[in-house]
Amino acid sequence: RFSDVEQAPPVAVFALTAAYKADTSPLRVNLGVGAYRTEEGKPWVLPVVREVESQLAADHSLDHEYLPIQGLPEFTTAATRLVLGDDSAAMLENRAMGFQTLSGTGALRLAAEFLKRKTNHSVVYLPDPTWANHNGIFSMLDFDIRKYRYWKPETRGLDFEGMIEDLKNAPANAVVVLHACAHNPTGVDPTREQWKAIAEVIKAGNLFPFFDSAYIGFASGDVERDRWAVKYFVDQGFEVFAAQSFSKNFGLYNERVGNLAVVTHDPQVIGKIKSQMEKLARALWSNPPSHGARIVAAVLNNPTLSAQWREHIKTMADRITQMRELLYQKLKLQGTPGTWTHIVDQIGMFSYTGLSPKQVDFLKEKYHLYAMKSGRFNMCGITPSNVDHIAKGIHEAVTT
Ligand code: PLP
C-alpha cells in the first residue's frame, strides 16, 4: 500500500541548492553543487558547444531515430581514446571498447551491474570519503561495500600508508574504485609515484581497478595529465573499467553524456562483454540519448574544434586555481588561525576545507554561504567579488 511508504531523506547536495535558492540575501553563495561557474557566478555554455549545437540544428540530415544500444560509435570511440590516450596499445590491439551511458552515473551503474551479475564480483572498496552516489550505486546491487583510508585530517592530505594497508588486506577479486583525478570530495590525488605503488598492490592482490574518471581535462586543464593514472594502469597490462562523464569537461550536465571504457587482455572477449552490456543497458535505459554524444563526437573528432575545447577546459581549470590562490591569500592576510596551504595544493573544483559541520552551519546562518556539511567547498562558487565575504566568514567561523 502506498500509505506505508516511508519518507526518504533528501539528497543532501540538492537540498542545499534549494536552501540557497530560498535565501534572498545578496550575499548568498552556493559552494555546494558540483557545477562550474564563471567569474560572474553564472553557468557557462562552452562556446564550442554552442557552435556545434547550431550546426546540428541546421543539419536536416539528422533525425531522432534510436541509437544502437551501445551508443553512437563515433562518440564511444572518441571518448575511449580521450581516457586511454591516442596511442593506446589496448585500442590498437582491439582490446578496448566504449559503451555509451547516461553520463558518469550511468557508466558506474552499468559497470556495477556487469561486475555483480556477470562476473561474480561481490566486494567493492571505496575511498573514505568518496562521492556519496558510489555508496548508492553499489548498495543497490548488494555489494559488500568496504572503505579504504584516503583522507588524513591531521595533514589535510592523502592517507597513503592507510590506503596501501587497507588495499593489501583486500580479498582477491575485490573491485577497487579509484578516482582518476580531482578526487571528490577532497581534491586530493595521489602523486605519480604513489599511483605506481597503488598499482603494485592492486596487481599483487589480484584486485580489479575501476576508475571513476568524471573530471578528465577539467581537473587541471590538461587531458594528458588528468588521464595519467588510467593510462599508466593500462600500460602496466591491467584490465580496467573507466567511467567517464562529460558533465563537467563539456558543461553538458543535463544532457547525460557518458561512456564506460572497457580494457581487456583479450580481443576475443570484447564482443562477449559488449553483448552482456547490451542486455543490461536494454533493461536499464534501452538506448542512450544522442544530442550530447553528437556534440562531444563532433568536437573530439575535429582537430580545430578539439583545440578550442582544450582552451575552454584550461579557462575553467585556471579560474579555479586562481580562486584557490585568492582565497588562500585572503586567509593568510587576515591571519586566520590554522594552515590553509591545502586550499592551493588540492586540485579540481572541490576542496575539503577541514571546517567542521558546526562551522559550516555558522557560515550558512551568519554569512549566507552554502557548503556541504563535510566542509567540502565548490571553489567555482568563489569570485573576485565575493572572496572577501567568504574569507571573512571562514575567519569568524574558526575564531568564534
Ligand atoms: N563521479 C564523481 C566522482 C562525480 O563527482 C560525479 C559528479 O558529480 C559523477 C561521477 C557523475 O556525474 P554525472 O552523472 O553528472 O556524469
Side-chain angles (χ1 to χ4, degrees):
R1 294 200 312 272
F2 287 161
S3 54
D4 293 341
V5 175
E6 283 176 23
Q7 181 74 34
V11 176
V13 71
F14 292 109
L16 191 74
T17 297
Y20 160 81
K21 282 189 175 160
D23 186 335
T24 51
S25 166
L27 295 173
R28 68 179 186 164
V29 183
N30 189 352
L31 297 165
V33 72
Y36 180 75
R37 294 290 176 262
T38 63
E39 215 166 84
E40 292 76 41
K42 297 267 171 9
W44 194 39
V45 180
L46 306 190
V48 74
V49 167
R50 280 257 192 260
E51 187 182 327
V52 172
E53 278 189 312
S54 51
Q55 284 169 12
L56 292 176
D59 184 348
H60 288 224
S61 72
L62 295 174
D63 54 40
H64 295 291
E65 294 296 295
Y66 290 121
L67 289 184
I69 303 176
Q70 192 184 2
L72 194 69
E74 53 270 39
F75 162 75
T76 53
T77 305
T80 307
R81 203 181 300 126
L82 185 75
V83 72
L84 299 185
D86 296 326
D87 54 349
S88 169
M91 287 195 80
L92 297 173
E93 293 161 12
N94 299 318
R95 301 186 280 112
M97 70 159 187
F99 201 103
Q100 191 179 332
T101 57
L102 295 196
S103 216
T105 305
L108 289 161
R109 179 63 190 254
L110 180 67
E113 295 268 352
F114 178 83
L115 292 169
K116 187 72 200 294
R117 299 187 199 283
K118 303 297 168 192
T119 52
N120 285 325
H121 288 83
S122 57
V123 177
V124 64
Y125 276 71
L126 302 177
D128 184 19
T130 193
W131 183 51
N133 213 12
H134 284 154
N135 278 294
I137 291 165
F138 286 100
S139 64
M140 286 273 178
L141 287 153
D142 291 327
F143 266 87
D144 175 354
I145 300 177
R146 303 186 191 173
K147 292 175 182 172
Y148 62 84
R149 277 169 281 174
Y150 197 84
W151 169 256
K152 197 168 189 175
E154 304 89 67
T155 58
R156 296 188 179 170
L158 180 68
D159 185 352
F160 179 63
E161 287 74 28
M163 176 176 182
I164 291 290
E165 193 182 328
D166 290 343
L167 294 183
K168 274 190 178 159
N169 290 328
N173 273 329
V175 177
V176 182
V177 173
L178 301 157
H179 294 228
C181 60
H183 178 273
N184 178 6
T186 65
V188 173
D189 288 344
T191 62
R192 289 185 179 181
E193 286 315 304
Q194 288 170 334
W195 274 121
K196 290 179 186 172
I198 294 164
E200 271 178 35
V201 173
I202 290 184
K203 187 166 267 173
N206 209 358
L207 312 175
F208 179 69
F210 179 9
F211 286 95
D212 185 348
S213 325
Y215 295 94
I216 301 293
F218 183 89
S220 69
D222 176 346
V223 170
E224 284 70 27
R225 183 173 158 192
D226 292 349
R227 72 176 172 217
W228 188 88
V230 181
K231 193 167 171 344
Y232 176 77
F233 272 66
V234 173
D235 288 348
Q236 293 303 300
F238 283 93
E239 297 193 312
V240 306
F241 278 176
Q244 292 174 263
S245 166
F246 292 87
S247 297
K248 327 278 165 165
N249 55 11
F250 270 77
L252 289 168
Y253 303 92
N254 71 8
E255 295 296 347
R256 315 309 291 144
V257 202
N259 183 58
L260 178 62
V262 174
V263 176
T264 68
H265 288 146
D266 176 3
Q268 303 291 329
V269 300
I270 285 287
K272 294 182 195 162
I273 295 175
K274 177 190 158 192
S275 70
Q276 293 295 351
M277 288 192 174
E278 279 175 340
K279 282 200 81 169
L280 293 166
R282 175 77 175 137
L284 285 167
W285 54 72
S286 191
N287 315 75
S290 69
H291 184 67
R294 279 176 179 156
I295 297 171
V296 172
V299 172
L300 294 182
N301 291 321
N302 176 304
T304 312
L305 299 177
S306 203
Q308 281 177 40
W309 172 69
R310 284 182 181 243
E311 285 297 313
H312 299 336
I313 50 175
K314 209 168 161 342
T315 299
M316 295 192 281
D318 286 353
R319 193 185 102 65
I320 296 171
T321 307
Q322 282 160 15
M323 292 305 106
R324 286 183 178 281
E325 187 61 38
L326 199 58
L327 179 63
Y328 172 68
Q329 291 303 339
K330 299 274 175 195
L331 292 170
K332 228 172 72 173
L333 215 69
Q334 290 175 163
T336 304
T339 48
W340 297 96
T341 43
H342 58 287
I343 300 275
V344 278
D345 292 343
Q346 292 166 352
I347 176 171
M349 78 201 313
F350 296 120
S351 204
Y352 230 37
T353 56
L355 293 176
S356 68
K358 225 173 113 201
Q359 291 166 333
V360 168
D361 266 345
F362 175 89
L363 289 177
K364 183 166 82 181
E365 300 310 325
K366 286 268 171 59
Y367 279 82
H368 308 273
L369 301 176
Y370 292 81
M372 298 294 281
K373 273 267 194 291
S374 60
R376 185 192 84 170
F377 275 29
N378 175 8
M379 302 316 268
C380 302
I382 306 175
T383 68
S385 11
N386 68 20
V387 66
D388 284 319
H389 175 67
I390 295 170
K392 205 161 147 253
I394 295 176
H395 189 87
E396 206 183 321
V398 299
T399 50
T400 47

